[in-house]
Structures are given as C-alpha cells and as structure tokens.
Amino acid sequence: MLVAAAVCPCPPLLVPAVAGDAAAELDGARAACREAVAALAAARPALVVVVGPDGTDGPAVHPAGTRGGFHGYGLPLEVTLGTPDPARPDDGGRLPLSLTVGAWLLAEAGWTAAPVTGLAVGPAMEPDRCADEGRLLAAAAERVALLVMGDGSVCRDRKAPGYLDERAIPFDDAVARALAGADTAALAGLDPALAAELGAAGRPAWQVLSGAAGSSRMDARLLWHGAPYGVAYFTALWTAR
C-alpha cells in the first residue's frame, strides 16, 4: 500500500557541489525536497522505491546498494541507493542520473528509515504500462513510499534547452495542478507524445505514481514549482489519509 510519495526534480544542479556558484538559484527547490523526504520518513514505510526517468525503453529495477555518481560533471562524488544487501553480490550496475539525484537526496537526509530500491522508467513506456508498474510497487510491501524524480518541459522560454514552445506552460501548469490535488486521473491522462515533444522526462515516473496511488485517498501539497533555467521543476508531497 502506498502511504506517502515525494515528488522531486532531478537536475544535477540540485547538488550544490555540481551547481557551484549557481547553487543558490535552487535553494528553494532543495529546501522543499528536504521537507518532502523528511515526510517520507515520518510515514514509517517498510520500503522506499526511488522512481525516475531513464533513456531505456522499459522499466529497469535497481537493487539496494547500486551506485551512481557525478563524475561526468567533474565531481568525484558517488552515492549508493540505500544500504547494500550483504547477501546480494555487487553486479556492477550503475544508477541513471535521475536515481542518482534521488539517492543523493536520501543520503543528504541521512536516510535509515527503510530499505531502498530503484525503478527507472523510459520515455517509450505507455501510460497503462506505467500504471501497472505503480500498482506492483504499491503491493510490494504493507507500507510503501515513493520518491518520484522527474522534470517538466524544457521549453519555457527562448533561452531554455528546448527553446520556446507555447504549449509548455499549459502542460506544466496541468502537472502542477495534478500534483497539488493528488489528481491521479490527470497524471494518467498526460499525453506521452506531447510530453516527449516538450522534453518533459518526468511523465512516465508521474504516471507510475498515479498507478501506485490508484483510488486511494491522498492528501497533497505542492511545495515548490519553478522554472529557473527554462525547465519546469516540481516538488510535492502526497500522504495517505
């Protein structure tokens, strides 16, 4: 059963050491992420799953102890997804960037509240498949919490990575309303083609959340929403009533 979910953005700039002198520009997002992760611990989950986008076609499970790092950004910083399972040998797998940022958020919080695993979801996954994955996650333990990583459109203005697309702000506003209202139907209804055209990589992860929550009654708060680099970022918290 899903007892809580934190939705966070996943730019590497969320890590202050990566952002350098620009770190202050995402201080609000970091503070909101800390609040959301703390709320996950307060929900007393038996299992936490970090869900985030990857470039692969289908879902990929990342067990506890899988490593990720920020070496590509000139930073010799490595993180581990939760605590390694001593009974499971290290298979040499690496976390995609979204899960690496999620693992960093948990590490920054000193996470010890519950075991942690990861699920990477790809842009080719249709909404129904994402929802199915979410339902499986919710049934994986009596009390499940999700840390859902993902960014919105990359087309908010002419300086944005995807340049300006007038559809971006309405799309992002719809995502913000859905996250603020725990509107699973609205998340499930996000158009994969439009999301892809706008570069909204978080779409499949949000639809996993929608499937995990299902018809459960959730209280929701949108903790932070902005687009400081022409890319939409969201931080939200859902908790079961």
Side-chain angles (χ1 to χ4, degrees), residues 19 36 79 148 156 210 229:
V79 293
V148 182
R156 300 274 300 205
S210 175
Y229 308 112

Side-chain angles (χ1 to χ4, degrees), residues 11 24 31-32 49 75 83 95 100 110 115 119 131-132 139 158 171 179-180 192 194 212 222:
V49 184
L75 185 65
T83 303
L95 295 173
T100 298
L119 179 71
D132 288 343
R158 289 182 174 84
F171 176 90
L179 293 175
L194 176 59
L222 184 66

